[in-house]
Amino acid sequence: MQKSLSVYDSDGSTFAPLVVIELVSETKEEAIAWLLNRVRDKQQDGGAELLVEQLTPGAQGTEKDNPNVYVVGASWQRLLYGAEDVGLFKEFNDGSMRGFTYANKHNFKEFQGDGDGFLSMAECQYIIKHELDNLRAKDEAHVPGYPKMKLYPGKSVIRRMQSKGILVQVFPLHEKEELKRLSFSWFKKIKLSFQPLDDIRHYFGEGMALYFGFLEYFTLALIPMALIGIPYYLFDWEDYDKFTVFAGFNLVWCTVILELWKRLSASLAYGWGTLSRKKAFEEPRPGFHGVLGVNPVTGRAEPLYSNAKRQLRIYLVSVPFVLLCLYLSLYVMMIYFDMEGWALMIHDEEPTFWTGLLLFIPSIIYAVVIEIMNLIYRYAAEFLTGWENHRLESTFQNHLVLKVLVFNFFNCFASLFYIAFVMQDMVLLRQSLATLLITSQILNQIMEAFLPYWLQRRRNKKAHKRMIKTMEDKELPLSEQVKLEADMSTYLGTFDDYLELFLLFGYVSLFSCVYPLAAVLVVLNNVTEVYSDAFKMCKVFKRPFSEPAANIGVWQLAFEAMSVIAVVTNCALIGMSPKVKSYFPESETQLILWVVGFEHFLLASKFILTFVIPDVPKHIQIKLSRLEFESLEALKKRHQKEPVYKRLTYRV
């Protein structure tokens, strides 16, 4: 908890500021008073029962500063009750992970005294966000002062004000001392060691920690392939036949590492209390709209939108748009091949050092164009997915991921497939793969590390200097800290980070047998990625709210789908080897049948391996089963102690 800074509530009590609410400067007074009262009201009266106070401007405040900035906190008892409401799991005295209950608080391992320090600051901020999101309209017809901003019973107040532009942002505050310690152990010292995943989880939450855990695991899993790839590159560069062994290693590698990751992520999630945590009931996302109706599950009034209309939008607009983008990507790819042919023709006419360099120019230009097209398509995909009007955030994310993955896969790998299986030019394939991989890594480092930092400095150089002082040397007043953090860029989630890893996994698993240094380059990229992403999270972006997660979600399916494609691709590359072709000199049909049969055998083995290797380690399965058994036994005993007339009432 942030003890170094505190503010006074309206009743004179002090509290640690955890979350900031910023309203637009011209917000009407009655709307502000209504919102603050709802935040402070008791839960039984429909409020959030939180502590909130207006941020007083500091000594360096100006007239341009927004006066409608408020800091939110909560009493320690309120946070403990909130931990029970959100279903937080903590370590019990017997070493198992159990759902926290306030009545049973002293039986939890880390609960001492009044429980100070039992909850991390990230957990406290998540609880406050949960309570704010569940602040619902009662009998108000509209937001006070805004007759056109309609409300109805059960509508989320915060989401409504955010979607209408009254609420600018809600963000959690950094804890400077804890951030300094995390930065020092995470990225300030370059060292060969594991990341402090528990500290990352403690500060940023489970979702962020799982991303960095997967990044670290993926990097370590690439080391064997990199060690094998270096001698292959040095001694057998032109011996294509020997790359069939490397392709065989790829087939096993891409399957095993994903299965082992599922076990590792289950172990991490169990230790963090998210593996057996029940998923919260999802509320409609802020951008969802429709005709007002009644939700048959909750019984609350909320917008309803016809699923048939949504499907029409998807299949009549979104799908054709994606197909059009794929066609444009194919058209750009053919222009790239024309450029390759032009550069090769010039080099053949007069081979010099400069014409040799010219051979790489088309691939570099194409790699840059691919990144630009991916970026433009991403914005278009977000707009289309929002226009489809999905009710839930998870459904929105799934459709967005599907659109982006299909286009990015086609855009990044179509040329490589064409070179490998249509042109069958392994020299050009190696050159194109190397150029695409290296150029995309350089561009990603610029876009993800240097550009956000540069934009932050350009936006407010003076504020950036203060931020460095705040985070490293001196403790500035709360008003200055809030002002600095409010101007920082907003972190948009791990979507782009996972997407980058997905594409790198594709480069390695699909075609690294013809360019064995691919794994080496990806390892180097991932090492720098750890430091650049850590720097971004601690220095460039606002602190994101903690997101409980038990796994990497839909991205696990994406990586597994890529591994299936990798099996097919590597089998085809093996079948194209001159040595393998020599075994079938008379019949190409037999060769194709052999390759297809071998590919089916490997796919069958892959799926069998998926079932053979349990997703959850045995000792964790036993702990989860024991917890479920004890819960059922406790329910039975409680039921047996109840009077007979109550049981009869339940049956009736």
Side-chain angles (χ1 to χ4, degrees):
M1 291 287 293
Q2 188 164 342
K3 294 185 175 299
S4 56
L5 297 173
S6 60
V7 295
Y8 287 90
D9 189 26
S10 55
D11 61 0
S13 59
T14 62
F15 66 91
L18 297 172
V19 174
V20 175
I21 295 177
E22 182 181 359
L23 305 173
V24 293
S25 57
E26 60 271 13
T27 306
K28 295 184 179 179
E29 290 295 329
E30 52 264 49
I32 297 175
W34 171 75
L35 176 63
L36 297 184
N37 287 333
R38 291 301 312 275
V39 173
R40 292 183 180 125
D41 283 347
K42 300 290 184 183
Q43 280 188 294
Q44 55 264 35
D45 298 328
E49 204 169 338
L50 300 174
L51 305 175
V52 58
E53 197 59 41
Q54 186 174 16
L55 185 70
T56 55
Q60 299 180 7
T62 64
E63 293 183 358
K64 293 182 179 179
D65 291 341
N66 185 357
N68 296 328
V69 179
Y70 301 86
V71 289
V72 184
S75 66
W76 194 243
Q77 185 182 40
R78 178 69 185 89
L79 290 171
L80 292 175
Y81 277 116
E84 181 176 350
D85 292 339
V86 299
L88 212 62
F89 270 63
K90 303 294 268 184
E91 188 175 2
F92 209 63
N93 283 334
D94 62 1
S96 63
M97 302 299 296
R98 297 173 184 250
F100 175 77
T101 57
Y102 186 83
N104 212 19
K105 58 182 181 293
H106 292 291
N107 291 323
F108 286 85
K109 191 173 182 179
E110 296 177 358
F111 196 97
Q112 297 175 354
D114 61 353
D116 189 20
F118 179 68
L119 301 175
S120 68
M121 189 176 178
E123 289 171 335
C124 295
Q125 290 167 333
Y126 173 74
I127 291 167
I128 288 180
K129 179 178 181 294
H130 174 268
E131 299 300 338
L132 289 174
D133 286 342
N134 282 279
L135 193 63
R136 303 190 178 281
K138 296 188 290 185
D139 52 359
E140 302 95 341
H142 57 83
V143 175
Y146 296 90
K148 294 183 178 180
M149 198 174 299
K150 303 297 182 183
L151 290 174
Y152 46 85
K155 176 66 179 176
S156 172
V157 172
I158 295 294
R159 290 170 183 252
R160 185 64 169 173
M161 297 181 75
Q162 201 164 19
S163 64
K164 292 299 181 181
I166 294 180
L167 183 61
V168 178
Q169 58 181 343
V170 179
F171 64 91
L173 280 170
H174 276 294
E175 205 290 303
K176 292 175 288 187
E177 289 301 319
E178 191 175 345
L179 181 63
K180 187 189 297 183
R181 290 192 296 269
L182 176 61
S183 301
F184 184 78
S185 63
W186 195 4
F187 69 88
K188 282 194 173 181
K189 284 175 41 176
I190 298 177
K191 54 185 178 179
L192 293 175
S193 64
F194 294 109
Q195 296 178 90
L197 292 182
D198 288 330
D199 294 338
I200 297 169
R201 174 254 172 181
H202 192 268
Y203 194 83
F204 289 110
E206 293 81 15
M208 189 67 63
L210 277 173
Y211 161 70
F212 281 102
F214 181 73
L215 174 58
E216 178 178 276
Y217 173 81
F218 180 39
T219 306
L220 293 174
L222 282 166
I223 291 177
M225 184 176 286
L227 293 176
I228 296 173
I230 292 173
Y232 261 85
Y233 178 82
L234 294 176
F235 304 115
D236 296 307
W237 174 248
E238 298 298 336
D239 191 349
Y240 176 65
D241 283 330
K242 293 186 179 179
F243 289 158
T244 57
V245 179
F246 202 81
F249 179 79
N250 266 357
L251 295 172
V252 178
W253 175 83
C254 63
T255 298
V256 172
I257 67 162
L258 292 177
E259 291 304 313
L260 294 181
W261 163 251
K262 285 194 283 190
R263 292 173 61 84
L264 176 59
S265 67
S267 299
L268 290 173
Y270 178 78
W272 295 337
T274 55
L275 184 62
S276 53
R277 187 171 174 178
K278 292 182 180 178
K279 189 176 180 181
F281 181 79
E282 277 196 88
E283 299 291 342
R285 41 188 301 273
F288 177 67
H289 59 272
V291 180
L292 188 63
V294 178
N295 186 314
V297 177
T298 63
R300 292 197 296 254
E302 69 173 46
L304 300 178
Y305 189 77
S306 169
N307 187 57
K309 290 183 180 179
R310 184 181 298 112
Q311 296 301 320
L312 285 174
R313 290 187 173 191
I314 291 173
Y315 290 107
L316 296 183
V317 179
S318 296
V319 172
F321 175 79
V322 173
L323 293 176
L324 175 63
C325 290
L326 295 180
Y327 172 77
L328 292 175
S329 175
L330 187 65
Y331 186 77
V332 171
M333 183 188 76
M334 301 313 296
I335 295 175
Y336 156 65
F337 286 129
D338 290 340
M339 292 172 61
E340 282 283 359
W342 169 77
L344 189 60
M345 181 182 66
I346 293 178
H347 180 69
D348 289 341
E349 288 178 357
E350 188 178 351
T352 63
F353 172 78
W354 299 109
T355 57
L357 289 180
L358 183 64
L359 293 176
F360 292 94
I361 298 300
S363 296
I364 294 173
I365 295 175
Y366 183 51
V368 174
V369 171
I370 283 177
E371 294 298 323
I372 294 173
M373 290 176 67
N374 285 343
L375 188 62
I376 295 173
Y377 177 82
R378 168 68 188 277
Y379 289 115
E382 284 186 353
F383 172 80
L384 268 182
T385 310
W387 178 73
E388 290 167 6
N389 198 26
H390 297 282
R391 178 179 176 272
L392 303 178
E393 183 65 29
S394 60
T395 310
F396 173 88
Q397 289 295 330
N398 289 340
H399 280 78
L400 178 61
V401 167
L402 182 61
K403 288 186 185 71
V404 173
L405 285 187
V406 168
F407 180 79
N408 276 255
F409 179 85
F410 191 87
N411 200 30
C412 293
F413 300 116
S415 62
L416 300 178
F417 277 99
Y418 187 85
I419 295 170
F421 302 117
V422 178
M423 299 174 64
Q424 298 188 10
D425 186 340
M426 295 303 139
V427 175
L428 181 58
L429 179 61
R430 282 195 292 266
Q431 175 190 316
S432 298
L433 176 59
T435 308
L436 288 173
L437 185 56
I438 294 171
T439 307
S440 66
Q441 288 179 353
I442 293 173
L443 291 175
N444 280 327
Q445 289 299 325
I446 293 173
M447 294 292 293
E448 292 189 4
F450 298 107
L451 186 60
Y453 182 76
W454 178 76
L455 287 175
Q456 179 71 13
R457 288 178 64 90
R458 185 181 179 185
R459 185 162 44 244
N460 196 332
K461 290 183 179 181
K462 187 175 179 180
H464 182 77
K465 290 177 182 178
R466 286 185 196 167
M467 181 184 72
I468 298 298
K469 284 186 178 181
T470 302
M471 301 302 177
E472 294 182 356
D473 301 325
K474 298 179 181 179
E475 181 179 310
L476 291 183
L478 176 63
S479 58
E480 294 298 321
Q481 180 184 345
V482 171
K483 191 187 304 181
L484 293 173
E485 293 187 26
D487 290 336
M488 294 168 76
S489 301
T490 301
Y491 182 65
L492 300 177
T494 55
F495 185 98
D496 290 322
D497 299 313
Y498 278 120
L499 179 61
E500 181 185 352
L501 293 182
F502 171 79
L503 296 175
L504 292 175
F505 180 74
Y507 283 124
V508 171
S509 61
L510 294 175
F511 298 107
S512 64
C513 63
V514 295
Y515 184 62
L517 276 188
V520 179
L521 295 175
V522 174
V523 167
L524 295 175
N525 174 83
N526 287 0
V527 170
T528 58
E529 186 83 8
V530 168
Y531 287 96
S532 63
D533 283 353
F535 173 80
K536 280 192 310 183
M537 297 309 305
C538 296
K539 300 294 181 184
V540 177
F541 291 123
K542 291 186 187 76
R543 184 179 188 174
F545 280 105
S546 169
E547 289 294 337
N551 48 54
I552 61 175
V554 68
W555 291 103
Q556 180 75 37
L557 296 175
F559 279 92
E560 289 177 357
M562 180 69 83
S563 71
V564 172
I565 299 172
V567 170
V568 179
T569 303
N570 282 277
C571 284
L573 290 172
I574 291 173
M576 291 168 57
S577 166
K579 189 172 184 179
V580 173
K581 286 183 177 180
S582 66
Y583 292 117
F584 305 92
E586 299 179 356
S587 175
E588 188 175 342
T589 304
Q590 288 184 355
L591 172 61
I592 295 173
L593 291 175
W594 181 87
V595 170
V596 171
F598 182 59
E599 170 254 325
H600 277 58
F601 169 76
L602 289 175
L603 285 177
S605 302
K606 175 181 173 62
F607 291 121
I608 291 172
L609 195 64
T610 302
F611 288 104
V612 169
I613 302 177
D615 293 348
V616 181
K618 186 68 175 178
H619 69 281
I620 294 180
Q621 290 181 10
I622 293 173
K623 289 180 180 179
L624 293 175
S625 299
R626 184 188 299 138
L627 181 61
E628 184 178 1
F629 171 76
E630 291 176 0
S631 300
L632 291 173
E633 288 297 306
L635 187 62
K636 282 182 183 178
K637 289 179 182 178
R638 189 171 66 183
H639 188 65
Q640 290 170 357
K641 289 180 181 179
E642 290 178 349
V644 176
Y645 72 88
K646 280 192 176 182
R647 278 182 269 164
L648 289 173
T649 303
Y650 293 155
R651 289 174 186 172
V652 173

